Amino acid sequence: MANTPDSILHPQTPGRAAQQARTMGEQTGKIAADVRELGSMAIGSASEALESVKERGAEVLENVKERGGEVLEDTRERLGRAKDGFGDYVAENPFKSVLIAAGIGALIGYSLRSRN
C-alpha cells in the first residue's frame, strides 16, 4: 500500500468537509473584501488623477487665453501699422499704385479665365 492516496486511507468525515467548506468560505470572503478594497483604492487613485488633469487643463486654458489675447493685440497693432503704411504709400505714389493694382487684377483675371 505504498502508492495509495490519502483520501482512500483516510476518507473525509462529514465534520471535516464542513470545516473545509467554512475555511473556503472565509477565504473567499477575505478575497472578496480585498478585491473591494483594491477597487476602492483604484477609484480613489483615478479620482485624484482626474482632479489633477482638470486642474492642469484649467491652468493651460488660462495660459492659452492670456497668450491668445496678447497675440491678437499684437496682430491688430501690426495690421494697423501696415494699413497706415499702405495708405501712405498710395498717397505718395498714386500712379504706381494704380498700375500695380491693374497688373494684379490682370493676373487674377488671366488665371481664372476659362480654358475652352
Side-chain angles (χ1 to χ4, degrees):
M1 285 216 291
N3 290 334
T4 34
D6 277 349
S7 61
I8 293 173
L9 295 176
H10 307 289
Q12 290 184 345
T13 59
R16 186 173 178 183
Q19 181 184 7
Q20 285 181 341
R22 275 194 307 273
T23 303
M24 288 179 66
E26 290 171 0
Q27 289 176 348
T28 303
K30 287 179 183 178
I31 290 171
D34 289 345
V35 168
R36 281 192 294 272
E37 184 178 346
L38 287 173
S40 296
M41 290 170 59
I43 289 172
S45 294
S47 297
E48 290 174 10
L50 180 62
E51 191 62 34
S52 174
V53 168
K54 281 182 179 179
E55 289 173 4
R56 180 67 180 133
E59 291 173 9
V60 168
L61 181 61
E62 188 62 35
N63 289 339
V64 166
K65 284 181 180 180
E66 289 176 10
R67 180 69 180 131
E70 292 170 6
V71 169
L72 182 61
E73 189 60 37
D74 186 45
T75 303
R76 284 181 180 157
E77 184 179 318
R78 288 181 183 196
L79 284 175
R81 286 195 308 252
K83 181 181 171 187
D84 293 341
F86 180 73
D88 292 343
Y89 181 81
V90 170
E92 292 172 5
N93 304 298
F95 185 69
K96 193 186 234 184
S97 300
V98 169
L99 288 177
I100 291 173
I104 292 173
L107 285 173
I108 291 173
Y110 181 75
S111 66
L112 294 178
R113 72 180 174 103
S114 124
R115 308 252 177 194
N116 290 336

